[in-house]
Structure formats: C-alpha cells, structure tokens
Amino acid sequence: RTKPSTSAPTLQAEPLQIQNGNQEEEGLVKTESTSGRILRLPLVVRQTIALAVVVVLVSGASIASKAPQKLQGMIKKGAMQQMKADVSKTTKPVEVQEELQSPTILTLYSADKLIRDWQMAKAIGMGPWHDVSGMKLMLLDPMLTDWSRRVKHAEKLGCSWKYTLEDLTVSRVDQEPGSPLATVTASIAEVGELLDSNDALVEQYSDKYVVQYTAVRSRDAWRLSTCKIIK
C-alpha cells in the first residue's frame, strides 16, 4: 500500500463547468475573491456555512416569537390591574365606605338596614307564631313594650297579621357628632292583612306613610326606641 500524502491540498483555479443549470462541480462551488480569481469551496465548508445560517435564523425567530408574548403578558397584566381598580372605584357604595369609618355613626345605609330588619321582626312577631325574639333584639323601651303588648293581644284573640313591605326609603338621618342617639326619617309603603285562626282574611289595608324613628346605640348595636308617624 502506498503511504498517504501529508501535504495539505491547495485550491487551484479551474474552469467552471455548468451541469444541469447549476454552477457546481462535484461538491465545489464558485466563489470570487478580491483579486478576481474564481475559487471552489469544498462541500463540507458549504454545509458548515449553511448550518450556521440555519441556527442564526431559528434563534432569531425564537427571540422574535417570545418578545411579543412577553409584551402581551405585560399589557394584559396591566389591563387587569386597571380593571380591578376601576371596578373598586365604581361599585363600592359611598354609604358602605362611611359605615367602615366608624360603627358609632348611623349612616343612610345602616339606617336602611336597621328599618328593614325591624319590619321583618314585626312581621314575624305579629304572624301566626307570635315570636317576639326578633323584636327583643331590635327594640328598646318604650317601643319594645308597646309591640310586645300587641303581639300578646293578637295571640289571645287567635288572630295574626301578615305584613308585606312594598317600599322603603330612608330620606335622612340626624345625629349629633359622637351622640348615641339618631333620628331616622323614612317613607314606607306596606300592605297589612288581618287573618283569623283559620287564616281567613278579616281586614286588609294598603298604606304609604312617613315615619320618624329614634335609634339608640346600645350594646354595640343600633336599636329602635320610639316610632312616630308624621305624614
């Protein structure tokens, strides 16, 4: 066997052959140097260059695809935070904000809830079960004594009242700063039905009236002590 040559091959300029419309010849490609000579690069060099170009293109595409996603994520996060802030500003009632400031201040919101709770306690107390437990939680004397007497009288007669609250609007609350007393003015529309022991209708009324309640802050809660119809 012959010993392989250790000398490095040299590139030589040769005439370019055109085959099948491609300017190639057995793995060599035409290049032009600054001196104007025609050179041919080996196939392995061409493959290396092509691979490097592919890597650069893929890397660039990956970065370009991730950048919009990150930008969209930042925009979406900022939009959600702004949406939450807008919702919190527009949906929270002013009365609730006032109620959270101090429980000793009777606001329109808390006064409305107080009157509605009392109307429910009245309907239960004057109903067929004559349960006054709700009244004891909502009322103070003299109002508690007055309505307890009415419940006992209805129970003794074997009759009951069915109340339906159709509308309630608290128009104003008057309270001195730091005072445990407040005057609540409200407009009420209700329907009352007097029923006998067989739940047969005896009497019925539908009325709208304006009433003033005296609310008292007692045992960390607001309760009603007096009630006067003014209109």
Side-chain angles (χ1 to χ4, degrees), residues 36-212:
R37 294 185 301 171
I38 304 300
L39 301 179
R40 292 177 297 173
L41 297 179
L43 179 60
V44 65
V45 176
R46 291 168 28 197
Q47 292 176 343
T48 302
I49 295 174
L51 180 60
V53 172
V54 172
V55 171
V56 171
L57 292 177
V58 171
S59 299
S62 177
I63 295 174
S65 62
K66 291 181 179 178
Q69 294 177 358
K70 184 176 181 181
L71 181 59
Q72 292 175 4
M74 295 173 62
I75 294 174
K76 183 177 181 181
K77 182 178 180 181
M80 290 298 296
Q81 292 176 348
Q82 184 63 37
M83 185 182 298
K84 291 179 180 179
D86 293 342
V87 169
S88 64
K89 290 179 182 178
T90 57
T91 59
K92 183 180 292 185
V94 176
E95 293 81 0
V96 175
Q97 294 178 350
E98 295 176 354
E99 178 71 9
L100 295 176
Q101 291 177 1
S102 175
T104 61
I105 299 177
L106 185 63
T107 64
L108 290 173
Y109 174 84
S110 55
D112 182 271
K113 184 178 185 304
L114 178 65
I115 304 304
R116 290 182 186 277
D117 290 345
W118 152 238
Q119 294 294 326
M120 182 178 297
K122 180 181 75 173
I124 294 175
M126 297 296 293
W129 295 281
H130 304 100
D131 184 359
V132 297
S133 58
M135 290 185 175
K136 291 180 179 179
L137 293 176
M138 298 298 307
L139 303 178
L140 296 173
D141 285 333
M143 198 171 174
L144 176 60
T145 299
D146 179 35
W147 280 95
S148 296
R149 180 185 56 81
R150 296 188 188 191
V151 171
K152 290 181 180 179
H153 182 66
E155 185 178 15
K156 182 179 180 181
L157 294 177
C159 62
S160 62
W161 282 90
K162 179 181 178 182
Y163 293 103
T164 302
L165 181 64
E166 293 188 332
D167 185 56
L168 169 63
T169 302
V170 176
S171 57
R172 62 181 297 169
V173 176
D174 297 307
Q175 180 185 12
E176 295 292 331
S179 174
L181 301 178
T183 301
V184 181
T185 304
S187 299
I188 295 177
E190 71 176 4
V191 174
E193 297 176 339
L194 177 61
L195 307 175
D196 61 16
S197 57
N198 296 319
D199 291 336
L201 181 63
V202 177
E203 184 182 345
Q204 181 181 12
Y205 73 87
S206 177
D207 198 8
K208 296 181 179 179
Y209 55 93
V210 179
V211 60
Q212 278 188 346

Side-chain angles (χ1 to χ4, degrees), residues 8-39:
T10 58
L11 295 176
Q12 297 179 354
E14 295 182 2
L16 181 66
Q17 297 183 9
I18 301 177
Q19 298 180 358
N20 298 328
N22 297 323
Q23 296 181 358
E24 297 184 359
E25 180 183 3
E26 296 182 357
L28 302 180
V29 68
K30 171 186 174 182
T31 60
E32 185 174 356
S33 66
T34 56
S35 62
R37 294 185 301 171
I38 304 300
L39 301 179

